[in-house]
Amino acid sequence: MSSSTTERLLDVGGPLSRRSTVIANVRWFRKLAARALRDGAPNAEVRAANARAAARILIRQGKREALVDRLIREAQGADV
């Protein structure tokens, strides 16, 4: 049985890296919202709503960034 390794370039700062960062942050904010509702502290509903709103903002910004990145790549590849 032979073992083979493949080299993969790191995508630091690239679209995949940014996407995974956005996903991780969205998950964190959603867990924060759930934790706020469970802890029963004052204004738990408000804190949970704020965390969910932050997650929605991150999703919207990530989609916008992906669209702009795709448009830039298409423009660079177009024949002028």
Side-chain angles (χ1 to χ4, degrees):
M1 184 164 150
S2 67
S3 76
S4 65
T5 60
T6 58
E7 275 189 40
R8 258 180 63 183
L9 296 174
L10 293 177
D11 186 34
V12 178
L16 294 177
S17 174
R18 290 191 302 264
R19 182 175 186 267
S20 62
T21 302
V22 167
I23 290 170
N25 288 337
V26 166
R27 287 179 181 163
W28 185 82
F29 275 116
R30 287 181 177 165
K31 286 180 185 176
L32 183 67
R35 195 176 330 133
L37 290 174
R38 276 195 313 268
D39 70 9
N43 297 324
E45 293 83 15
V46 173
R47 290 185 298 125
N50 287 339
R52 287 190 302 270
R56 284 191 300 272
I57 289 169
L58 284 173
I59 292 170
R60 201 168 38 238
Q61 287 176 341
K63 287 181 179 180
R64 186 180 316 127
E65 187 176 298
L67 175 65
V68 169
D69 188 49
R70 184 172 46 239
L71 291 173
I72 290 171
R73 277 192 264 130
E74 286 175 3
Q76 288 174 341
D79 292 329
V80 178

PDB file of all heavy atoms in Angstrom, residues 14-40:
ATOM      1  N   GLY A  14      -7.799  34.351   0.625  1.00  0.00           N
ATOM      2  CA  GLY A  14      -8.538  34.116  -0.611  1.00  0.00           C
ATOM      3  C   GLY A  14     -10.023  33.942  -0.343  1.00  0.00           C
ATOM      4  O   GLY A  14     -10.486  34.003   0.796  1.00  0.00           O
ATOM      5  N   PRO A  15     -10.784  33.709  -1.408  1.00  0.00           N
ATOM      6  CA  PRO A  15     -12.238  33.573  -1.250  1.00  0.00           C
ATOM      7  C   PRO A  15     -12.648  32.432  -0.323  1.00  0.00           C
ATOM      8  O   PRO A  15     -13.578  32.579   0.465  1.00  0.00           O
ATOM      9  CB  PRO A  15     -12.735  33.298  -2.671  1.00  0.00           C
ATOM     10  CG  PRO A  15     -11.629  33.655  -3.574  1.00  0.00           C
ATOM     11  CD  PRO A  15     -10.361  33.636  -2.791  1.00  0.00           C
ATOM     12  N   LEU A  16     -11.954  31.298  -0.397  1.00  0.00           N
ATOM     13  CA  LEU A  16     -12.319  30.176   0.475  1.00  0.00           C
ATOM     14  C   LEU A  16     -12.024  30.491   1.933  1.00  0.00           C
ATOM     15  O   LEU A  16     -12.789  30.124   2.833  1.00  0.00           O
ATOM     16  CB  LEU A  16     -11.593  28.906   0.046  1.00  0.00           C
ATOM     17  CG  LEU A  16     -11.989  28.353  -1.315  1.00  0.00           C
ATOM     18  CD1 LEU A  16     -11.138  27.141  -1.659  1.00  0.00           C
ATOM     19  CD2 LEU A  16     -13.453  27.984  -1.323  1.00  0.00           C
ATOM     20  N   SER A  17     -10.934  31.153   2.175  1.00  0.00           N
ATOM     21  CA  SER A  17     -10.576  31.527   3.538  1.00  0.00           C
ATOM     22  C   SER A  17     -11.588  32.520   4.107  1.00  0.00           C
ATOM     23  O   SER A  17     -12.027  32.391   5.251  1.00  0.00           O
ATOM     24  CB  SER A  17      -9.165  32.133   3.551  1.00  0.00           C
ATOM     25  OG  SER A  17      -8.852  32.615   4.824  1.00  0.00           O
ATOM     26  N   ARG A  18     -11.965  33.499   3.300  1.00  0.00           N
ATOM     27  CA  ARG A  18     -12.947  34.484   3.762  1.00  0.00           C
ATOM     28  C   ARG A  18     -14.290  33.833   3.998  1.00  0.00           C
ATOM     29  O   ARG A  18     -14.973  34.127   4.979  1.00  0.00           O
ATOM     30  CB  ARG A  18     -13.061  35.621   2.748  1.00  0.00           C
ATOM     31  CG  ARG A  18     -11.827  36.504   2.706  1.00  0.00           C
ATOM     32  CD  ARG A  18     -12.064  37.765   1.905  1.00  0.00           C
ATOM     33  NE  ARG A  18     -12.461  37.518   0.535  1.00  0.00           N
ATOM     34  CZ  ARG A  18     -11.636  37.497  -0.503  1.00  0.00           C
ATOM     35  NH1 ARG A  18     -10.352  37.692  -0.315  1.00  0.00           N
ATOM     36  NH2 ARG A  18     -12.091  37.290  -1.717  1.00  0.00           N
ATOM     37  N   ARG A  19     -14.677  32.901   3.123  1.00  0.00           N
ATOM     38  CA  ARG A  19     -15.957  32.216   3.272  1.00  0.00           C
ATOM     39  C   ARG A  19     -15.998  31.386   4.554  1.00  0.00           C
ATOM     40  O   ARG A  19     -16.975  31.420   5.299  1.00  0.00           O
ATOM     41  CB  ARG A  19     -16.206  31.316   2.060  1.00  0.00           C
ATOM     42  CG  ARG A  19     -17.530  30.611   2.103  1.00  0.00           C
ATOM     43  CD  ARG A  19     -17.752  29.833   0.804  1.00  0.00           C
ATOM     44  NE  ARG A  19     -19.074  29.265   0.764  1.00  0.00           N
ATOM     45  CZ  ARG A  19     -19.371  28.031   1.173  1.00  0.00           C
ATOM     46  NH1 ARG A  19     -18.428  27.248   1.621  1.00  0.00           N
ATOM     47  NH2 ARG A  19     -20.599  27.590   1.111  1.00  0.00           N
ATOM     48  N   SER A  20     -14.921  30.660   4.816  1.00  0.00           N
ATOM     49  CA  SER A  20     -14.899  29.837   6.028  1.00  0.00           C
ATOM     50  C   SER A  20     -14.888  30.706   7.276  1.00  0.00           C
ATOM     51  O   SER A  20     -15.474  30.339   8.292  1.00  0.00           O
ATOM     52  CB  SER A  20     -13.710  28.882   6.004  1.00  0.00           C
ATOM     53  OG  SER A  20     -12.507  29.599   5.978  1.00  0.00           O
ATOM     54  N   THR A  21     -14.256  31.868   7.205  1.00  0.00           N
ATOM     55  CA  THR A  21     -14.256  32.783   8.343  1.00  0.00           C
ATOM     56  C   THR A  21     -15.654  33.319   8.600  1.00  0.00           C
ATOM     57  O   THR A  21     -16.106  33.388   9.748  1.00  0.00           O
ATOM     58  CB  THR A  21     -13.281  33.952   8.093  1.00  0.00           C
ATOM     59  OG1 THR A  21     -11.982  33.421   7.871  1.00  0.00           O
ATOM     60  CG2 THR A  21     -13.249  34.900   9.270  1.00  0.00           C
ATOM     61  N   VAL A  22     -16.358  33.684   7.535  1.00  0.00           N
ATOM     62  CA  VAL A  22     -17.728  34.183   7.685  1.00  0.00           C
ATOM     63  C   VAL A  22     -18.618  33.100   8.284  1.00  0.00           C
ATOM     64  O   VAL A  22     -19.397  33.366   9.201  1.00  0.00           O
ATOM     65  CB  VAL A  22     -18.285  34.666   6.326  1.00  0.00           C
ATOM     66  CG1 VAL A  22     -19.783  34.888   6.388  1.00  0.00           C
ATOM     67  CG2 VAL A  22     -17.587  35.945   5.896  1.00  0.00           C
ATOM     68  N   ILE A  23     -18.490  31.885   7.787  1.00  0.00           N
ATOM     69  CA  ILE A  23     -19.315  30.780   8.305  1.00  0.00           C
ATOM     70  C   ILE A  23     -19.037  30.545   9.789  1.00  0.00           C
ATOM     71  O   ILE A  23     -19.964  30.363  10.585  1.00  0.00           O
ATOM     72  CB  ILE A  23     -19.079  29.504   7.480  1.00  0.00           C
ATOM     73  CG1 ILE A  23     -19.667  29.671   6.084  1.00  0.00           C
ATOM     74  CG2 ILE A  23     -19.688  28.288   8.166  1.00  0.00           C
ATOM     75  CD1 ILE A  23     -19.293  28.584   5.119  1.00  0.00           C
ATOM     76  N   ALA A  24     -17.771  30.568  10.175  1.00  0.00           N
ATOM     77  CA  ALA A  24     -17.416  30.365  11.582  1.00  0.00           C
ATOM     78  C   ALA A  24     -17.988  31.475  12.453  1.00  0.00           C
ATOM     79  O   ALA A  24     -18.515  31.219  13.548  1.00  0.00           O
ATOM     80  CB  ALA A  24     -15.906  30.288  11.742  1.00  0.00           C
ATOM     81  N   ASN A  25     -17.914  32.704  11.977  1.00  0.00           N
ATOM     82  CA  ASN A  25     -18.441  33.829  12.758  1.00  0.00           C
ATOM     83  C   ASN A  25     -19.960  33.774  12.863  1.00  0.00           C
ATOM     84  O   ASN A  25     -20.524  34.081  13.928  1.00  0.00           O
ATOM     85  CB  ASN A  25     -18.000  35.160  12.138  1.00  0.00           C
ATOM     86  CG  ASN A  25     -16.531  35.435  12.364  1.00  0.00           C
ATOM     87  OD1 ASN A  25     -15.922  34.906  13.287  1.00  0.00           O
ATOM     88  ND2 ASN A  25     -15.951  36.255  11.523  1.00  0.00           N
ATOM     89  N   VAL A  26     -20.629  33.387  11.794  1.00  0.00           N
ATOM     90  CA  VAL A  26     -22.089  33.258  11.834  1.00  0.00           C
ATOM     91  C   VAL A  26     -22.497  32.196  12.846  1.00  0.00           C
ATOM     92  O   VAL A  26     -23.414  32.411  13.649  1.00  0.00           O
ATOM     93  CB  VAL A  26     -22.644  32.937  10.427  1.00  0.00           C
ATOM     94  CG1 VAL A  26     -24.082  32.459  10.494  1.00  0.00           C
ATOM     95  CG2 VAL A  26     -22.531  34.157   9.532  1.00  0.00           C
ATOM     96  N   ARG A  27     -21.810  31.068  12.808  1.00  0.00           N
ATOM     97  CA  ARG A  27     -22.119  30.012  13.789  1.00  0.00           C
ATOM     98  C   ARG A  27     -21.899  30.488  15.218  1.00  0.00           C
ATOM     99  O   ARG A  27     -22.681  30.180  16.119  1.00  0.00           O
ATOM    100  CB  ARG A  27     -21.268  28.774  13.517  1.00  0.00           C
ATOM    101  CG  ARG A  27     -21.713  28.036  12.295  1.00  0.00           C
ATOM    102  CD  ARG A  27     -20.847  26.840  12.034  1.00  0.00           C
ATOM    103  NE  ARG A  27     -21.295  26.155  10.821  1.00  0.00           N
ATOM    104  CZ  ARG A  27     -20.580  25.290  10.167  1.00  0.00           C
ATOM    105  NH1 ARG A  27     -19.378  24.957  10.593  1.00  0.00           N
ATOM    106  NH2 ARG A  27     -21.044  24.728   9.078  1.00  0.00           N
ATOM    107  N   TRP A  28     -20.837  31.264  15.434  1.00  0.00           N
ATOM    108  CA  TRP A  28     -20.542  31.777  16.772  1.00  0.00           C
ATOM    109  C   TRP A  28     -21.662  32.688  17.245  1.00  0.00           C
ATOM    110  O   TRP A  28     -22.123  32.593  18.393  1.00  0.00           O
ATOM    111  CB  TRP A  28     -19.200  32.509  16.770  1.00  0.00           C
ATOM    112  CG  TRP A  28     -18.791  32.961  18.131  1.00  0.00           C
ATOM    113  CD1 TRP A  28     -18.183  32.228  19.094  1.00  0.00           C
ATOM    114  CD2 TRP A  28     -19.005  34.271  18.688  1.00  0.00           C
ATOM    115  NE1 TRP A  28     -17.993  32.999  20.216  1.00  0.00           N
ATOM    116  CE2 TRP A  28     -18.481  34.253  19.991  1.00  0.00           C
ATOM    117  CE3 TRP A  28     -19.572  35.432  18.199  1.00  0.00           C
ATOM    118  CZ2 TRP A  28     -18.514  35.370  20.812  1.00  0.00           C
ATOM    119  CZ3 TRP A  28     -19.612  36.541  19.015  1.00  0.00           C
ATOM    120  CH2 TRP A  28     -19.088  36.498  20.309  1.00  0.00           C
ATOM    121  N   PHE A  29     -22.121  33.606  16.364  1.00  0.00           N
ATOM    122  CA  PHE A  29     -23.192  34.522  16.755  1.00  0.00           C
ATOM    123  C   PHE A  29     -24.492  33.773  17.021  1.00  0.00           C
ATOM    124  O   PHE A  29     -25.239  34.124  17.933  1.00  0.00           O
ATOM    125  CB  PHE A  29     -23.408  35.597  15.679  1.00  0.00           C
ATOM    126  CG  PHE A  29     -22.478  36.779  15.824  1.00  0.00           C
ATOM    127  CD1 PHE A  29     -21.554  37.057  14.845  1.00  0.00           C
ATOM    128  CD2 PHE A  29     -22.544  37.604  16.926  1.00  0.00           C
ATOM    129  CE1 PHE A  29     -20.695  38.136  14.966  1.00  0.00           C
ATOM    130  CE2 PHE A  29     -21.696  38.683  17.068  1.00  0.00           C
ATOM    131  CZ  PHE A  29     -20.765  38.948  16.079  1.00  0.00           C
ATOM    132  N   ARG A  30     -24.775  32.732  16.252  1.00  0.00           N
ATOM    133  CA  ARG A  30     -25.997  31.965  16.488  1.00  0.00           C
ATOM    134  C   ARG A  30     -25.927  31.208  17.808  1.00  0.00           C
ATOM    135  O   ARG A  30     -26.925  31.113  18.535  1.00  0.00           O
ATOM    136  CB  ARG A  30     -26.249  31.019  15.328  1.00  0.00           C
ATOM    137  CG  ARG A  30     -26.723  31.771  14.086  1.00  0.00           C
ATOM    138  CD  ARG A  30     -26.997  30.872  12.939  1.00  0.00           C
ATOM    139  NE  ARG A  30     -27.524  31.624  11.805  1.00  0.00           N
ATOM    140  CZ  ARG A  30     -27.588  31.165  10.586  1.00  0.00           C
ATOM    141  NH1 ARG A  30     -27.187  29.935  10.326  1.00  0.00           N
ATOM    142  NH2 ARG A  30     -28.064  31.904   9.617  1.00  0.00           N
ATOM    143  N   LYS A  31     -24.751  30.677  18.138  1.00  0.00           N
ATOM    144  CA  LYS A  31     -24.594  30.020  19.444  1.00  0.00           C
ATOM    145  C   LYS A  31     -24.716  31.033  20.571  1.00  0.00           C
ATOM    146  O   LYS A  31     -25.275  30.741  21.626  1.00  0.00           O
ATOM    147  CB  LYS A  31     -23.240  29.311  19.512  1.00  0.00           C
ATOM    148  CG  LYS A  31     -23.184  28.052  18.695  1.00  0.00           C
ATOM    149  CD  LYS A  31     -21.823  27.393  18.783  1.00  0.00           C
ATOM    150  CE  LYS A  31     -21.739  26.197  17.865  1.00  0.00           C
ATOM    151  NZ  LYS A  31     -20.405  25.584  17.848  1.00  0.00           N
ATOM    152  N   LEU A  32     -24.190  32.235  20.345  1.00  0.00           N
ATOM    153  CA  LEU A  32     -24.303  33.296  21.339  1.00  0.00           C
ATOM    154  C   LEU A  32     -25.768  33.643  21.580  1.00  0.00           C
ATOM    155  O   LEU A  32     -26.186  33.853  22.729  1.00  0.00           O
ATOM    156  CB  LEU A  32     -23.528  34.532  20.868  1.00  0.00           C
ATOM    157  CG  LEU A  32     -23.477  35.719  21.809  1.00  0.00           C
ATOM    158  CD1 LEU A  32     -22.656  35.368  23.051  1.00  0.00           C
ATOM    159  CD2 LEU A  32     -22.858  36.909  21.100  1.00  0.00           C
ATOM    160  N   ALA A  33     -26.570  33.683  20.516  1.00  0.00           N
ATOM    161  CA  ALA A  33     -27.995  33.973  20.652  1.00  0.00           C
ATOM    162  C   ALA A  33     -28.691  32.887  21.476  1.00  0.00           C
ATOM    163  O   ALA A  33     -29.486  33.185  22.370  1.00  0.00           O
ATOM    164  CB  ALA A  33     -28.642  34.090  19.281  1.00  0.00           C
ATOM    165  N   ALA A  34     -28.368  31.635  21.186  1.00  0.00           N
ATOM    166  CA  ALA A  34     -28.988  30.530  21.934  1.00  0.00           C
ATOM    167  C   ALA A  34     -28.567  30.580  23.396  1.00  0.00           C
ATOM    168  O   ALA A  34     -29.390  30.363  24.297  1.00  0.00           O
ATOM    169  CB  ALA A  34     -28.589  29.200  21.316  1.00  0.00           C
ATOM    170  N   ARG A  35     -27.291  30.888  23.645  1.00  0.00           N
ATOM    171  CA  ARG A  35     -26.797  30.968  25.016  1.00  0.00           C
ATOM    172  C   ARG A  35     -27.471  32.107  25.771  1.00  0.00           C
ATOM    173  O   ARG A  35     -27.790  31.998  26.955  1.00  0.00           O
ATOM    174  CB  ARG A  35     -25.284  31.162  25.005  1.00  0.00           C
ATOM    175  CG  ARG A  35     -24.638  30.897  26.336  1.00  0.00           C
ATOM    176  CD  ARG A  35     -23.126  30.986  26.309  1.00  0.00           C
ATOM    177  NE  ARG A  35     -22.548  30.620  25.025  1.00  0.00           N
ATOM    178  CZ  ARG A  35     -21.619  31.335  24.398  1.00  0.00           C
ATOM    179  NH1 ARG A  35     -21.143  32.433  24.924  1.00  0.00           N
ATOM    180  NH2 ARG A  35     -21.139  30.928  23.238  1.00  0.00           N
ATOM    181  N   ALA A  36     -27.706  33.225  25.080  1.00  0.00           N
ATOM    182  CA  ALA A  36     -28.361  34.365  25.722  1.00  0.00           C
ATOM    183  C   ALA A  36     -29.772  34.007  26.163  1.00  0.00           C
ATOM    184  O   ALA A  36     -30.211  34.408  27.243  1.00  0.00           O
ATOM    185  CB  ALA A  36     -28.385  35.555  24.760  1.00  0.00           C
ATOM    186  N   LEU A  37     -30.467  33.246  25.338  1.00  0.00           N
ATOM    187  CA  LEU A  37     -31.829  32.848  25.713  1.00  0.00           C
ATOM    188  C   LEU A  37     -31.832  31.849  26.863  1.00  0.00           C
ATOM    189  O   LEU A  37     -32.746  31.834  27.680  1.00  0.00           O
ATOM    190  CB  LEU A  37     -32.554  32.261  24.502  1.00  0.00           C
ATOM    191  CG  LEU A  37     -32.912  33.266  23.414  1.00  0.00           C
ATOM    192  CD1 LEU A  37     -33.503  32.544  22.210  1.00  0.00           C
ATOM    193  CD2 LEU A  37     -33.875  34.312  23.941  1.00  0.00           C
ATOM    194  N   ARG A  38     -30.801  30.979  26.921  1.00  0.00           N
ATOM    195  CA  ARG A  38     -30.742  29.970  27.984  1.00  0.00           C
ATOM    196  C   ARG A  38     -30.344  30.550  29.331  1.00  0.00           C
ATOM    197  O   ARG A  38     -30.792  30.068  30.365  1.00  0.00           O
ATOM    198  CB  ARG A  38     -29.747  28.876  27.612  1.00  0.00           C
ATOM    199  CG  ARG A  38     -30.308  27.814  26.732  1.00  0.00           C
ATOM    200  CD  ARG A  38     -29.416  26.598  26.691  1.00  0.00           C
ATOM    201  NE  ARG A  38     -28.006  26.897  26.491  1.00  0.00           N
ATOM    202  CZ  ARG A  38     -27.388  26.960  25.310  1.00  0.00           C
ATOM    203  NH1 ARG A  38     -28.069  26.742  24.224  1.00  0.00           N
ATOM    204  NH2 ARG A  38     -26.109  27.232  25.234  1.00  0.00           N
ATOM    205  N   ASP A  39     -29.488  31.569  29.353  1.00  0.00           N
ATOM    206  CA  ASP A  39     -28.955  32.027  30.638  1.00  0.00           C
ATOM    207  C   ASP A  39     -29.982  32.792  31.470  1.00  0.00           C
ATOM    208  O   ASP A  39     -29.851  32.891  32.674  1.00  0.00           O
ATOM    209  CB  ASP A  39     -27.669  32.835  30.465  1.00  0.00           C
ATOM    210  CG  ASP A  39     -27.862  34.197  29.816  1.00  0.00           C
ATOM    211  OD1 ASP A  39     -29.005  34.626  29.626  1.00  0.00           O
ATOM    212  OD2 ASP A  39     -26.836  34.833  29.500  1.00  0.00           O
ATOM    213  N   GLY A  40     -31.022  33.321  30.821  1.00  0.00           N
ATOM    214  CA  GLY A  40     -32.096  33.963  31.566  1.00  0.00           C
ATOM    215  C   GLY A  40     -31.717  35.286  32.199  1.00  0.00           C
ATOM    216  O   GLY A  40     -32.439  35.791  33.056  1.00  0.00           O
TER     217      GLY A  40
END
